[in-house]
Amino acid sequence: MTGRARARSRGRGRGQEPAAPGAVSLFKTAKPVMPTPPEGQLVGRGRQKPAPGQQVVILISISAGFQQVKIGERGGRRRDFHDSGVHTRQLMEHVKESKTGVSGTAIELRANFMRLLSRPLWALYQYHVDYKPPMESRRLRSALLFQHEETLGKAHTFDGAILFLPNKLHNTETVLCSETRNGEKVEITVTLTNELPPSSPVCLQFYNILFRRILRILNMQQIGRHYYNPDDPFNIPQHRLTIWPGFVTTILQYESSIMLCTDVSHKVLRSETVLDFMYSLRQQCGDQRFPEACTKELVGLIILTKYNNKTYRIDDIAWDHTPNNTFKKGDTEISFKNYFKTQYGLDITDGNQVLLVSHVKRLGPSGRPPPGPAMLVPEFCYLTGLTDKMRADFNIMKDLASHTRLSPEQRETRINRLISNINRNADVQNELTTWGLSFENRLLSMNGRVLPSERIIQGGRAYEYNPWTADWTKEMRGLPLISCMSLDNWLMFYTRRNADVAQSLLQTLNKVSGPMGIRMQRAIMIEYEDRQESLLRALQQNVARETQMVVVILPTNRKDKYDCVKKYLCVDCPTPSQCVVSRTISKPQALMTVATKIALQMNCKMGGELWSVEIPLRQLMIVGIDCYHDTAAGKRSIGALVASLNQGMSRWFSKCVLQNRGQEIIDALKGSLQAALKAYLKYNNCLPSRIIVFRDGVGDGMLQSVVDYEVPQIMQSIKTMGQDYEPKLSVVVVKKRISSRFFARIDGKIANPPPGTVIDTEVTRPEWYDFFIVSQAVRFGCVAPTHYNVVFDSSGLKPDHMQRLTYKLCHMYYNWQGIVRVPAPCQYAHKLAFLVGQSIHKEPNMNLDDFLYYL
Amino acid sequence: MCLMRTHSRADLTKTLAMTTPFSPPLYMQRYQFVIDYVKTYRPKKVIDFGCAECCLLKKLKFHRNGIQLLVGVDINSVVLLKRMHTLAPLISDYLQPSDGPLTIELYQGSVTEREPCTRGFDLVTCVELIEHLELVEVASFSEVVFGYMSPGAVIVSTPNAEFNPLLPGLRGFRNYDHKFEWTRAEFQTWAHKVCRDYGYSVHFTGVGEAVGHWREVGFCTQIAVFQRNFHDTMSNAKRLEPSVYRLMYRVVYPSLSDNNIYQRTLVNEVLYEAQHLRQEWLSRMNMDSSNNAHFCAPPLMDVFQHGLEGGTRDCQPVYQQGGTICVPLARVWSSPRVRALCGSVQRLREELQVDSRVRMSADGTVLILPAAADDEDDEEVEEEENVKAVSGVANNVEEDWDRELGCYGNV
């Protein structure tokens, strides 16, 4: 697995299993919280200029929506990252009037949004420009047109055929006469074709382009879709890391106004070339193993070239190529060495370095097919992003976090600084005023609601938790669990070195399990040699059909042994298992806490239940879906589906599928949903009358396909349970990676909003039935709200109930005695997909489907 | 007018490419001519008149050869605005700042106007420019460029009219915006007059030669390279803000001549080296023995007394002292990257001693780094936060949303 894949999955997992120091460092929770995922979705920015012929096509379809129109500027793929144009709310009768809830107490918030202000009756006027005689060159067209700047005004955007002006010309059709330098007269007809209101899609696209221009005026560098400030970097010299602070910005039509949403973002860059990296790798592993190690480390990484701002993915290494090889440029053969010298004045110092291969998918100039694989010189390629090794290095991550994890106060200050820069910079103001636009110079103030905190039900008793910490570790101490599996036949594997810690773990487990209500027999202790093969052999020899639980104490947090245990016990010999890194249990003072968490986790894995909250809806099945993409290695995506089996949301059915190439994740999950319904039927003797699907893992710009494709597939899948079976269905798209942030003022200080804060006005989108919930509490940094978008709902459930149910479900993740960032089934699905994608790479054995074996 | 110029450049090249095979294309050869000149004479301040799409500037930015100030002037601000961002530093320019400084500026203005801030340059290039001027303008152009600006050298290129018969299908001038196209004689007459009037000497050359007996028509593009005969008094003059031209764009490239950047780069490099030595030492210690954990070997002060430049330099070991790892400065100094940044150990020491990110021993011979990785678990602070009432706890009344919906049914 590569850094990139891990970054992604982490990026997603971020925040739920979190930052709490002292949390049980079992294998998977051992790694610290990630900062902004560093891997850039760096897109190339060679823009294709449309051939003159294409422009006509664009013109015809201009009113069809802005996907078809472009106001030319740079930017590679044109994708609707903001999912605008997906209108789902209008199809849901019960939220047409109002989609806001009522529960809870009001709280004043500030959000990282600024209103875009335009003078009254502002509009963008779209003109079609015609030349007689026709002029081919786009540059000539614009030169001829702007001989009439006094008529057209200073502010204009012209792409060769379509002209946008902030002011209306006197006549709908204006005929202008220009003259080329050799005296040829050209008649230019400028015809008004459209008057675009401020909220029209083309205008929105226009604002975003304008804002990008502004960021460039402020000397920000574009990387991918975002802009960063290169003048104030921070470095981690040990690994030659450079971090640039920057901003993510979008201008969209929100509930009541057009606003700019801007959040702080960071970019991790490395001042190390691939050649440097190769040198040190060769030094580490020797000539013999170098090619293999090199391929393993480098393939899949994204590099940035020195001579332009382009990024490439390393797909292969050309071991038989050096810079002295030649390639065809035009009609002549030229060596890489000479090419770089004459083109960029760059000298290659190592003539023996091998070259890197990248299969470029970008189209060639003017839409020609991709030019074939690109050969890159390692010396001129900078590495980007973090490697696994860096991620595993606690100190780097801490250093990174100390700069990238901003407190609410710091974050607000940074955003305010951007606002004041925009307002102070004369060039920026000039640009804005010529277009008749401006930004409100403060953050949006608005109201949210804090939902009442839930009562946790456990062992016939109910208790409350501290609403600020959103954690009930202390409260549940000494209380019996809802249901306990007794441990009669279980094994503990350890290495000789860890014999002592194994013994003390065993004793402590015994001590803590009593009050919870878990009966525990003594485990069978098995020593294994510290090698992967001997561990596997020990498992094969000792794990039997009646074994209830296998505990493995791992000497280090190296991945291979963990993978080996999980692979064997999830696929070949289905048995719940628990891995513990010896370091975690080596501190006597922390052992009680750790053992408690382990005991809870083991109980869940065997089918026990810990706690519950009141769910005021009956015959309800909640489904969570998430997926894991291992794109770097070109592996298949993995989809996981987790569905509730009982009223208390304490038992779950889980299924994980590996997606085939070219297949949508939902195709593979259809069968899983049917299996889940059958399992529900088995447990409850009836099918659910309501199904609510929480779909996580939907990328930017994928919403349309969820609505158009996945929802019908889900319905179809339900239909297979019987023609007259028509449960009420809701589909909610869950999004964690969003740039909206909210700040509260608590005791005069800027702070995170408390857990349970719901925001369903102002910053939501008018075309959606959506809301935000801040569900978890974080100790450091800014809390990230989660966005919920109900894309389909035949339940008739009030928005208030939908919000509260969602929040209740955030209480039900058993690996964390507190509130998590997403509904529990999503978190479970994430965990499962991650385990399969990272360690098992196969579909787990179906005997485990009824257990939370992947916790 | 200059806008048209580049246009013509491209069109012309296209025509030529089909008929007279200039390879590389003629416009590239013209740029290459300037680049070669820069490589040989290493001017510090260069100004390109009629820079239009800034292609030449973009090339010179890569082939710097010591250029510190690169200025482009064009009469058309639209084309400058459109293209100016192509001159911005690349990401890699920030990741690996260059040694010498570079500032790029773009102005909107005309070559026939006197602009004080254009004086004191080492090289002025006017590639395919003068033929776009009316003849009267050429006179004031000469006066402004040679008389007023009086740069160290001027490169002027223009079409050679004698070559035109070889360009198939060409009637009149090569571009509709050309006001004239000179023969070699005409060009040389003008050039010699300029030399006489303003104290320059000139030699003629060109790019794009015809083949065979056609050679005698001369180059397709004729080039005059002027050198100033007198010593210059303005090159060290203070930079002025433009008073006639309009500044469109200015960017200062990150470079090691900026003290902050230099300091940052050096410290990063030193810390990288030191951390590696520390890491190496730690892993060797771990491997050596798990029993003899407290290995303390302050390696004898007399090693140090032999001086850092001594032959024992590379043998100076890293050692532990209490909770810190000590890395001798000499070991860090042996890194070629550090050497390249810093002329001498003395300078290195001085630079490091004033930096707050580096801890050094009092005598400046040893870098001090923490021994253990910072403790991985932040001590869990059992914070008894005073519970603030945020919101009421859900009341005990059991809710039933189904009933509220009025669809309480078949349970």
Side-chain angles (χ1 to χ4, degrees), chain B residues 33 37 123-126 130 146 153-158 182 187-188 190-192 194-195 201-207 221-227:
Chain B
F33 180 86
Y37 180 90
L123 173 66
V124 168
T125 57
C126 308
I130 53 166
F146 295 92
V154 182
I155 297 176
V156 178
S157 87
T158 191
W182 275 338
F187 187 46
Q188 288 171 12
W190 168 78
H192 287 306
V194 163
C195 288
S201 46
V202 65
H203 81 270
F204 299 96
T205 170
V207 291
T221 297
Q222 47 183 338
I223 299 174
V225 181
F226 297 86
Q227 295 286 348

mmCIF file of all heavy atoms in Angstrom, chain B residues 33 37 123-126 130 146 153-158 182 187-188 190-192 194-195 201-207 221-227:
data_model
loop_
_atom_site.group_PDB
_atom_site.id
_atom_site.type_symbol
_atom_site.label_atom_id
_atom_site.label_comp_id
_atom_site.label_asym_id
_atom_site.label_seq_id
_atom_site.Cartn_x
_atom_site.Cartn_y
_atom_site.Cartn_z
ATOM 1 N N PHE B 33 19.617 33.218 -30.326
ATOM 2 C CA PHE B 33 20.688 34.178 -30.543
ATOM 3 C C PHE B 33 20.864 35.046 -29.294
ATOM 4 O O PHE B 33 21.978 35.263 -28.819
ATOM 5 C CB PHE B 33 20.374 35.046 -31.771
ATOM 6 C CG PHE B 33 21.440 36.062 -32.069
ATOM 7 C CD1 PHE B 33 22.527 35.711 -32.838
ATOM 8 C CD2 PHE B 33 21.362 37.347 -31.539
ATOM 9 C CE1 PHE B 33 23.534 36.634 -33.087
ATOM 10 C CE2 PHE B 33 22.361 38.264 -31.784
ATOM 11 C CZ PHE B 33 23.448 37.915 -32.555
ATOM 12 N N TYR B 37 23.972 35.186 -26.630
ATOM 13 C CA TYR B 37 24.630 36.440 -26.305
ATOM 14 C C TYR B 37 24.737 36.594 -24.787
ATOM 15 O O TYR B 37 25.784 36.940 -24.245
ATOM 16 C CB TYR B 37 23.856 37.616 -26.907
ATOM 17 C CG TYR B 37 24.492 38.950 -26.608
ATOM 18 C CD1 TYR B 37 25.438 39.496 -27.468
ATOM 19 C CD2 TYR B 37 24.196 39.644 -25.436
ATOM 20 C CE1 TYR B 37 26.057 40.697 -27.184
ATOM 21 C CE2 TYR B 37 24.813 40.834 -25.130
ATOM 22 C CZ TYR B 37 25.747 41.377 -26.009
ATOM 23 O OH TYR B 37 26.368 42.553 -25.706
ATOM 24 N N LEU B 123 21.741 45.352 -21.305
ATOM 25 C CA LEU B 123 21.352 44.854 -22.620
ATOM 26 C C LEU B 123 19.906 45.230 -22.915
ATOM 27 O O LEU B 123 19.024 45.096 -22.056
ATOM 28 C CB LEU B 123 21.504 43.321 -22.669
ATOM 29 C CG LEU B 123 20.987 42.634 -23.932
ATOM 30 C CD1 LEU B 123 21.803 43.024 -25.159
ATOM 31 C CD2 LEU B 123 21.000 41.116 -23.765
ATOM 32 N N VAL B 124 19.691 45.733 -24.137
ATOM 33 C CA VAL B 124 18.327 45.986 -24.593
ATOM 34 C C VAL B 124 18.106 45.130 -25.828
ATOM 35 O O VAL B 124 18.954 45.097 -26.720
ATOM 36 C CB VAL B 124 18.137 47.483 -24.938
ATOM 37 C CG1 VAL B 124 16.823 47.700 -25.673
ATOM 38 C CG2 VAL B 124 18.189 48.321 -23.676
ATOM 39 N N THR B 125 17.004 44.384 -25.867
ATOM 40 C CA THR B 125 16.725 43.592 -27.054
ATOM 41 C C THR B 125 15.467 44.128 -27.721
ATOM 42 O O THR B 125 14.481 44.437 -27.053
ATOM 43 C CB THR B 125 16.510 42.105 -26.710
ATOM 44 O OG1 THR B 125 15.446 42.009 -25.774
ATOM 45 C CG2 THR B 125 17.752 41.487 -26.103
ATOM 46 N N CYS B 126 15.535 44.277 -29.036
ATOM 47 C CA CYS B 126 14.372 44.704 -29.821
ATOM 48 C C CYS B 126 14.228 43.696 -30.950
ATOM 49 O O CYS B 126 14.736 43.906 -32.053
ATOM 50 C CB CYS B 126 14.585 46.095 -30.408
ATOM 51 S SG CYS B 126 15.069 47.308 -29.185
ATOM 52 N N ILE B 130 11.428 47.130 -34.859
ATOM 53 C CA ILE B 130 11.463 48.442 -35.510
ATOM 54 C C ILE B 130 10.620 48.502 -36.781
ATOM 55 O O ILE B 130 10.094 49.553 -37.122
ATOM 56 C CB ILE B 130 12.917 48.899 -35.823
ATOM 57 C CG1 ILE B 130 13.662 47.822 -36.606
ATOM 58 C CG2 ILE B 130 13.660 49.257 -34.556
ATOM 59 C CD1 ILE B 130 14.950 48.358 -37.207
ATOM 60 N N PHE B 146 19.281 54.673 -27.701
ATOM 61 C CA PHE B 146 20.739 54.843 -27.688
ATOM 62 C C PHE B 146 21.165 56.117 -26.970
ATOM 63 O O PHE B 146 22.134 56.130 -26.232
ATOM 64 C CB PHE B 146 21.285 54.840 -29.126
ATOM 65 C CG PHE B 146 21.089 53.522 -29.806
ATOM 66 C CD1 PHE B 146 19.959 53.257 -30.562
ATOM 67 C CD2 PHE B 146 22.055 52.519 -29.673
ATOM 68 C CE1 PHE B 146 19.776 52.038 -31.171
ATOM 69 C CE2 PHE B 146 21.863 51.295 -30.294
ATOM 70 C CZ PHE B 146 20.724 51.048 -31.048
ATOM 71 N N ALA B 153 24.636 47.344 -24.291
ATOM 72 C CA ALA B 153 24.539 46.695 -25.593
ATOM 73 C C ALA B 153 23.091 46.688 -26.049
ATOM 74 O O ALA B 153 22.174 46.732 -25.224
ATOM 75 C CB ALA B 153 25.058 45.262 -25.510
ATOM 76 N N VAL B 154 22.895 46.663 -27.374
ATOM 77 C CA VAL B 154 21.540 46.609 -27.929
ATOM 78 C C VAL B 154 21.525 45.557 -29.032
ATOM 79 O O VAL B 154 22.436 45.522 -29.863
ATOM 80 C CB VAL B 154 21.113 47.971 -28.528
ATOM 81 C CG1 VAL B 154 19.684 47.902 -29.044
ATOM 82 C CG2 VAL B 154 21.259 49.082 -27.501
ATOM 83 N N ILE B 155 20.537 44.694 -29.007
ATOM 84 C CA ILE B 155 20.356 43.738 -30.103
ATOM 85 C C ILE B 155 19.096 44.140 -30.849
ATOM 86 O O ILE B 155 18.016 44.235 -30.258
ATOM 87 C CB ILE B 155 20.223 42.292 -29.582
ATOM 88 C CG1 ILE B 155 21.509 41.869 -28.866
ATOM 89 C CG2 ILE B 155 19.904 41.338 -30.726
ATOM 90 C CD1 ILE B 155 21.431 40.494 -28.225
ATOM 91 N N VAL B 156 19.228 44.424 -32.144
ATOM 92 C CA VAL B 156 18.073 44.792 -32.964
ATOM 93 C C VAL B 156 17.955 43.788 -34.096
ATOM 94 O O VAL B 156 18.921 43.556 -34.829
ATOM 95 C CB VAL B 156 18.237 46.220 -33.547
ATOM 96 C CG1 VAL B 156 17.048 46.557 -34.437
ATOM 97 C CG2 VAL B 156 18.368 47.246 -32.433
ATOM 98 N N SER B 157 16.806 43.184 -34.219
ATOM 99 C CA SER B 157 16.617 42.281 -35.354
ATOM 100 C C SER B 157 15.450 42.772 -36.188
ATOM 101 O O SER B 157 14.507 43.377 -35.666
ATOM 102 C CB SER B 157 16.361 40.845 -34.866
ATOM 103 O OG SER B 157 15.003 40.659 -34.614
ATOM 104 N N THR B 158 15.523 42.538 -37.506
ATOM 105 C CA THR B 158 14.467 43.006 -38.412
ATOM 106 C C THR B 158 14.529 42.142 -39.679
ATOM 107 O O THR B 158 15.571 41.553 -39.975
ATOM 108 C CB THR B 158 14.663 44.507 -38.716
ATOM 109 O OG1 THR B 158 13.514 45.008 -39.386
ATOM 110 C CG2 THR B 158 15.904 44.748 -39.570
ATOM 111 N N TRP B 182 13.657 46.479 -44.507
ATOM 112 C CA TRP B 182 14.902 47.037 -44.998
ATOM 113 C C TRP B 182 15.773 45.986 -45.688
ATOM 114 O O TRP B 182 15.792 44.813 -45.289
ATOM 115 C CB TRP B 182 15.712 47.617 -43.830
ATOM 116 C CG TRP B 182 15.311 49.027 -43.483
ATOM 117 C CD1 TRP B 182 14.689 49.923 -44.294
ATOM 118 C CD2 TRP B 182 15.536 49.682 -42.233
ATOM 119 N NE1 TRP B 182 14.514 51.113 -43.637
ATOM 120 C CE2 TRP B 182 15.023 50.990 -42.360
ATOM 121 C CE3 TRP B 182 16.116 49.296 -41.024
ATOM 122 C CZ2 TRP B 182 15.072 51.924 -41.326
ATOM 123 C CZ3 TRP B 182 16.174 50.229 -40.004
ATOM 124 C CH2 TRP B 182 15.653 51.529 -40.156
ATOM 125 N N PHE B 187 19.506 48.851 -43.574
ATOM 126 C CA PHE B 187 19.646 48.560 -42.148
ATOM 127 C C PHE B 187 20.994 49.069 -41.652
ATOM 128 O O PHE B 187 21.095 49.707 -40.595
ATOM 129 C CB PHE B 187 19.507 47.044 -41.955
ATOM 130 C CG PHE B 187 19.476 46.599 -40.506
ATOM 131 C CD1 PHE B 187 18.683 47.256 -39.563
ATOM 132 C CD2 PHE B 187 20.225 45.502 -40.087
ATOM 133 C CE1 PHE B 187 18.640 46.820 -38.241
ATOM 134 C CE2 PHE B 187 20.189 45.067 -38.780
ATOM 135 C CZ PHE B 187 19.398 45.723 -37.856
ATOM 136 N N GLN B 188 22.004 48.784 -42.438
ATOM 137 C CA GLN B 188 23.355 49.144 -42.002
ATOM 138 C C GLN B 188 23.557 50.658 -42.007
ATOM 139 O O GLN B 188 24.217 51.202 -41.120
ATOM 140 C CB GLN B 188 24.389 48.444 -42.877
ATOM 141 C CG GLN B 188 24.424 46.950 -42.546
ATOM 142 C CD GLN B 188 25.263 46.131 -43.496
ATOM 143 O OE1 GLN B 188 26.017 46.684 -44.291
ATOM 144 N NE2 GLN B 188 25.111 44.819 -43.425
ATOM 145 N N TRP B 190 21.270 52.849 -41.351
ATOM 146 C CA TRP B 190 20.633 53.326 -40.115
ATOM 147 C C TRP B 190 21.540 53.046 -38.911
ATOM 148 O O TRP B 190 21.790 53.916 -38.077
ATOM 149 C CB TRP B 190 19.272 52.651 -39.939
ATOM 150 C CG TRP B 190 18.691 52.856 -38.568
ATOM 151 C CD1 TRP B 190 18.078 53.995 -38.128
ATOM 152 C CD2 TRP B 190 18.715 51.937 -37.475
ATOM 153 N NE1 TRP B 190 17.702 53.841 -36.820
ATOM 154 C CE2 TRP B 190 18.076 52.581 -36.387
ATOM 155 C CE3 TRP B 190 19.202 50.637 -37.315
ATOM 156 C CZ2 TRP B 190 17.924 51.951 -35.146
ATOM 157 C CZ3 TRP B 190 19.037 50.015 -36.088
ATOM 158 C CH2 TRP B 190 18.407 50.668 -35.010
ATOM 159 N N ALA B 191 22.067 51.827 -38.869
ATOM 160 C CA ALA B 191 22.853 51.405 -37.719
ATOM 161 C C ALA B 191 24.117 52.244 -37.584
ATOM 162 O O ALA B 191 24.482 52.673 -36.488
ATOM 163 C CB ALA B 191 23.201 49.924 -37.845
ATOM 164 N N HIS B 192 24.771 52.496 -38.697
ATOM 165 C CA HIS B 192 26.008 53.267 -38.617
ATOM 166 C C HIS B 192 25.749 54.697 -38.170
ATOM 167 O O HIS B 192 26.518 55.282 -37.430
ATOM 168 C CB HIS B 192 26.725 53.252 -39.973
ATOM 169 C CG HIS B 192 27.347 51.910 -40.258
ATOM 170 N ND1 HIS B 192 28.204 51.298 -39.383
ATOM 171 C CD2 HIS B 192 27.216 51.044 -41.299
ATOM 172 C CE1 HIS B 192 28.581 50.130 -39.871
ATOM 173 N NE2 HIS B 192 27.981 49.941 -41.036
ATOM 174 N N VAL B 194 23.370 55.591 -36.155
ATOM 175 C CA VAL B 194 23.148 55.483 -34.712
ATOM 176 C C VAL B 194 24.487 55.449 -33.984
ATOM 177 O O VAL B 194 24.696 56.144 -32.985
ATOM 178 C CB VAL B 194 22.320 54.213 -34.392
ATOM 179 C CG1 VAL B 194 22.420 53.859 -32.925
ATOM 180 C CG2 VAL B 194 20.866 54.425 -34.786
ATOM 181 N N CYS B 195 25.423 54.673 -34.532
ATOM 182 C CA CYS B 195 26.729 54.550 -33.896
ATOM 183 C C CYS B 195 27.439 55.902 -33.837
ATOM 184 O O CYS B 195 28.010 56.277 -32.827
ATOM 185 C CB CYS B 195 27.603 53.544 -34.651
ATOM 186 S SG CYS B 195 27.046 51.862 -34.401
ATOM 187 N N SER B 201 29.442 51.008 -31.310
ATOM 188 C CA SER B 201 29.963 50.304 -32.472
ATOM 189 C C SER B 201 29.050 49.115 -32.735
ATOM 190 O O SER B 201 28.363 48.640 -31.826
ATOM 191 C CB SER B 201 31.398 49.843 -32.233
ATOM 192 O OG SER B 201 31.507 49.248 -30.973
ATOM 193 N N VAL B 202 29.020 48.651 -33.957
ATOM 194 C CA VAL B 202 28.030 47.646 -34.320
ATOM 195 C C VAL B 202 28.665 46.541 -35.147
ATOM 196 O O VAL B 202 29.661 46.770 -35.846
ATOM 197 C CB VAL B 202 26.872 48.316 -35.116
ATOM 198 C CG1 VAL B 202 27.367 48.852 -36.448
ATOM 199 C CG2 VAL B 202 25.708 47.349 -35.307
ATOM 200 N N HIS B 203 28.154 45.346 -35.032
ATOM 201 C CA HIS B 203 28.458 44.346 -36.050
ATOM 202 C C HIS B 203 27.176 43.643 -36.454
ATOM 203 O O HIS B 203 26.202 43.605 -35.695
ATOM 204 C CB HIS B 203 29.555 43.371 -35.599
ATOM 205 C CG HIS B 203 29.057 42.271 -34.715
ATOM 206 N ND1 HIS B 203 29.019 42.383 -33.355
ATOM 207 C CD2 HIS B 203 28.582 41.036 -35.026
ATOM 208 C CE1 HIS B 203 28.547 41.272 -32.841
ATOM 209 N NE2 HIS B 203 28.267 40.433 -33.817
ATOM 210 N N PHE B 204 27.169 43.123 -37.683
ATOM 211 C CA PHE B 204 25.932 42.596 -38.254
ATOM 212 C C PHE B 204 26.005 41.082 -38.405
ATOM 213 O O PHE B 204 27.038 40.529 -38.752
ATOM 214 C CB PHE B 204 25.660 43.244 -39.614
ATOM 215 C CG PHE B 204 25.503 44.722 -39.509
ATOM 216 C CD1 PHE B 204 26.576 45.568 -39.756
ATOM 217 C CD2 PHE B 204 24.287 45.276 -39.130
ATOM 218 C CE1 PHE B 204 26.430 46.940 -39.641
ATOM 219 C CE2 PHE B 204 24.149 46.652 -39.017
ATOM 220 C CZ PHE B 204 25.227 47.483 -39.271
ATOM 221 N N THR B 205 24.895 40.483 -38.149
ATOM 222 C CA THR B 205 24.811 39.044 -38.350
ATOM 223 C C THR B 205 23.346 38.717 -38.650
ATOM 224 O O THR B 205 22.620 39.579 -39.144
ATOM 225 C CB THR B 205 25.353 38.288 -37.109
ATOM 226 O OG1 THR B 205 25.043 36.914 -37.233
ATOM 227 C CG2 THR B 205 24.741 38.792 -35.818
ATOM 228 N N GLY B 206 22.901 37.522 -38.366
ATOM 229 C CA GLY B 206 21.506 37.198 -38.632
ATOM 230 C C GLY B 206 21.234 35.741 -38.387
ATOM 231 O O GLY B 206 22.129 34.980 -38.002
ATOM 232 N N VAL B 207 19.993 35.362 -38.572
ATOM 233 C CA VAL B 207 19.634 33.946 -38.481
ATOM 234 C C VAL B 207 18.784 33.581 -39.685
ATOM 235 O O VAL B 207 18.077 34.424 -40.237
ATOM 236 C CB VAL B 207 18.894 33.600 -37.168
ATOM 237 C CG1 VAL B 207 19.825 33.696 -35.978
ATOM 238 C CG2 VAL B 207 17.674 34.489 -36.974
ATOM 239 N N THR B 221 16.510 36.850 -41.240
ATOM 240 C CA THR B 221 16.405 37.912 -40.242
ATOM 241 C C THR B 221 17.776 38.526 -40.061
ATOM 242 O O THR B 221 18.743 37.808 -39.761
ATOM 243 C CB THR B 221 15.947 37.339 -38.887
ATOM 244 O OG1 THR B 221 14.649 36.786 -39.039
ATOM 245 C CG2 THR B 221 15.907 38.417 -37.823
ATOM 246 N N GLN B 222 17.879 39.821 -40.243
ATOM 247 C CA GLN B 222 19.178 40.440 -40.012
ATOM 248 C C GLN B 222 19.241 41.017 -38.597
ATOM 249 O O GLN B 222 18.253 41.510 -38.066
ATOM 250 C CB GLN B 222 19.481 41.502 -41.067
ATOM 251 C CG GLN B 222 18.348 42.473 -41.335
ATOM 252 C CD GLN B 222 18.718 43.441 -42.448
ATOM 253 O OE1 GLN B 222 19.889 43.660 -42.738
ATOM 254 N NE2 GLN B 222 17.708 44.037 -43.072
ATOM 255 N N ILE B 223 20.397 40.906 -38.011
ATOM 256 C CA ILE B 223 20.554 41.319 -36.621
ATOM 257 C C ILE B 223 21.748 42.254 -36.504
ATOM 258 O O ILE B 223 22.818 41.983 -37.071
ATOM 259 C CB ILE B 223 20.782 40.100 -35.697
ATOM 260 C CG1 ILE B 223 19.565 39.161 -35.757
ATOM 261 C CG2 ILE B 223 21.020 40.539 -34.255
ATOM 262 C CD1 ILE B 223 19.743 37.872 -34.997
ATOM 263 N N ALA B 224 21.536 43.329 -35.765
ATOM 264 C CA ALA B 224 22.654 44.229 -35.459
ATOM 265 C C ALA B 224 22.917 44.173 -33.964
ATOM 266 O O ALA B 224 21.970 44.276 -33.175
ATOM 267 C CB ALA B 224 22.306 45.653 -35.867
ATOM 268 N N VAL B 225 24.188 43.982 -33.600
ATOM 269 C CA VAL B 225 24.539 43.986 -32.183
ATOM 270 C C VAL B 225 25.393 45.221 -31.918
ATOM 271 O O VAL B 225 26.474 45.377 -32.481
ATOM 272 C CB VAL B 225 25.322 42.712 -31.800
ATOM 273 C CG1 VAL B 225 25.662 42.730 -30.321
ATOM 274 C CG2 VAL B 225 24.526 41.476 -32.152
ATOM 275 N N PHE B 226 24.859 46.100 -31.102
ATOM 276 C CA PHE B 226 25.554 47.363 -30.800
ATOM 277 C C PHE B 226 26.265 47.262 -29.453
ATOM 278 O O PHE B 226 25.708 46.723 -28.506
ATOM 279 C CB PHE B 226 24.547 48.511 -30.705
ATOM 280 C CG PHE B 226 23.800 48.787 -31.972
ATOM 281 C CD1 PHE B 226 22.636 48.077 -32.287
ATOM 282 C CD2 PHE B 226 24.246 49.745 -32.861
ATOM 283 C CE1 PHE B 226 21.939 48.329 -33.438
ATOM 284 C CE2 PHE B 226 23.542 50.015 -34.035
ATOM 285 C CZ PHE B 226 22.393 49.306 -34.333
ATOM 286 N N GLN B 227 27.464 47.808 -29.400
ATOM 287 C CA GLN B 227 28.176 47.887 -28.127
ATOM 288 C C GLN B 227 28.478 49.350 -27.854
ATOM 289 O O GLN B 227 28.916 50.079 -28.747
ATOM 290 C CB GLN B 227 29.508 47.114 -28.202
ATOM 291 C CG GLN B 227 29.373 45.623 -28.407
ATOM 292 C CD GLN B 227 28.906 44.877 -27.169
ATOM 293 O OE1 GLN B 227 28.888 45.444 -26.080
ATOM 294 N NE2 GLN B 227 28.523 43.632 -27.338
#
